[in-house]
Amino acid sequence: SQELEQSPQSLIVQEGKNLTINCTSSKTLYGLYWYKQKYGEGLIFLMMLQKGGEEKSHEKITAKLDEKKQQSSLHITASQPSHAGIYLCGAEGTGFQKLVFGTGTRLLVSP
Amino acid sequence: EAGVAQSPRYKIIEKRQSVAFWCNPISGHATLYWYQQILGQGPKLLIQFQNNGVVDDSQLPKDRFSAERLKGVDSTLKIQPAKLEDSAVYLCASSSLPGVNTEAFFGQGTRLTVV
């Protein structure tokens, strides 16, 4: 079955610093989601990448998909306290187009 | 557009009791997912419905968990009897299509504590 490993598991950065979160798949990636989650709440959609080499940006968050490396990265520029939360990558798992998630990266942004 | 609705938001039960969670997906969404998220982990897919049919329940502990989606709209997830390790947030999500071709929308989740 598809496994998605995220790194780092947790991250503390100072406000204003840049950071990168990685998501590595054990299988070929045909598409990938990034979601953000506040503690104990549902997931908020950030962006969806569907093609190798695709790069998308929303406000200060940029995500890229590298099909050859079976990897995606999420980059936050000039982090703010509002960026704090759990970042989850999701991809299509083995089987009937099911959506599976990575282990999550917990981000804290210190003022 | 109304989002995915889940209830209750919180539930505390004793082990060996039963509990049920309810999910109302976005209108018109054919695909419905139930996930279990244990504290500190990513969501684990329990069951996926396409309309009112089950397309994947490979990770559903069928000796104690059951789920249904009557008429292909609302869905309920039941645990009977509950164990301590079932303490988690249960997330419901829906999408118009299965897989990664379409955004999945998530409810707020139900936080279950088994004592």
Side-chain angles (χ1 to χ4, degrees):
Chain A
S1 61
Q2 177 113 32
E3 286 191 4
L4 296 171
E5 198 68 35
Q6 289 185 234
S7 63
Q9 285 189 327
S10 62
L11 192 55
I12 303 173
V13 299
Q14 196 171 19
E15 184 176 356
K17 298 293 186 184
N18 302 337
L19 63 108
T20 299
I21 297 168
N22 292 304
C23 174
T24 303
S25 172
S26 60
K27 297 189 174 183
T28 302
L29 284 169
Y30 295 105
L32 188 125
Y33 288 116
W34 281 101
Y35 279 87
K36 181 185 174 184
Q37 184 180 32
K38 290 288 188 182
Y39 177 71
E41 296 186 7
L43 280 62
I44 300 168
F45 174 79
L46 293 176
M47 53 192 84
M48 176 171 61
L49 304 168
Q50 292 180 290
K51 303 174 189 176
E54 186 173 13
E55 180 176 322
K56 285 188 177 178
S57 293
H58 176 67
E59 296 180 345
K60 294 184 178 180
I61 301 176
T62 301
K64 301 178 186 179
L65 178 60
D66 187 332
E67 267 185 351
K68 290 181 181 177
K69 291 184 180 178
Q70 297 179 182
Q71 191 175 68
S72 177
S73 61
L74 185 84
H75 184 78
I76 299 177
T77 304
S79 58
Q80 300 169 356
S82 60
H83 287 127
I86 301 169
Y87 289 82
L88 291 154
C89 63
E92 190 164 320
T94 303
F96 186 79
Q97 295 178 299
K98 61 184 181 183
L99 179 58
V100 296
F101 285 92
T103 48
T105 295
R106 281 145 196 82
L107 172 65
L108 287 176
V109 180
S110 61
Chain B
E1 177 182 77
V4 177
Q6 287 189 249
S7 66
R9 281 297 312 272
Y10 306 94
K11 191 75 178 179
I12 301 174
I13 61 172
E14 294 182 349
K15 59 183 179 182
R16 292 187 289 273
Q17 285 187 322
S18 62
V19 64
F21 312 128
W22 174 81
C23 173
N24 187 355
I26 291 174
S27 178
H29 279 190
T31 305
L32 186 146
Y33 306 89
W34 280 104
Y35 290 87
Q36 178 194 58
Q37 186 176 24
I38 293 172
L39 185 64
Q41 300 180 17
K44 180 180 88 171
L45 180 65
L46 293 177
I47 189 167
Q48 177 181 346
F49 291 94
Q50 188 66 16
N51 296 307
N52 60 347
V54 175
V55 296
D56 190 290
D57 62 357
S58 56
Q59 297 198 88
L60 187 73
K62 298 181 185 63
D63 57 334
R64 297 184 300 106
F65 285 65
S66 65
E68 60 181 10
R69 190 183 184 196
L70 299 175
K71 300 180 182 178
V73 183
D74 293 7
S75 178
T76 55
L77 177 69
K78 296 179 182 177
I79 307 175
Q80 183 180 10
K83 292 185 175 181
L84 295 177
E85 58 260 36
D86 297 332
S87 294
V89 175
Y90 290 84
L91 297 163
C92 178
S94 71
S95 66
S96 55
L97 293 170
V100 292
N101 297 314
T102 312
E103 177 186 348
F105 295 82
F106 282 79
Q108 290 282 77
T110 296
R111 176 176 296 280
L112 173 68
T113 303
V114 182
V115 298

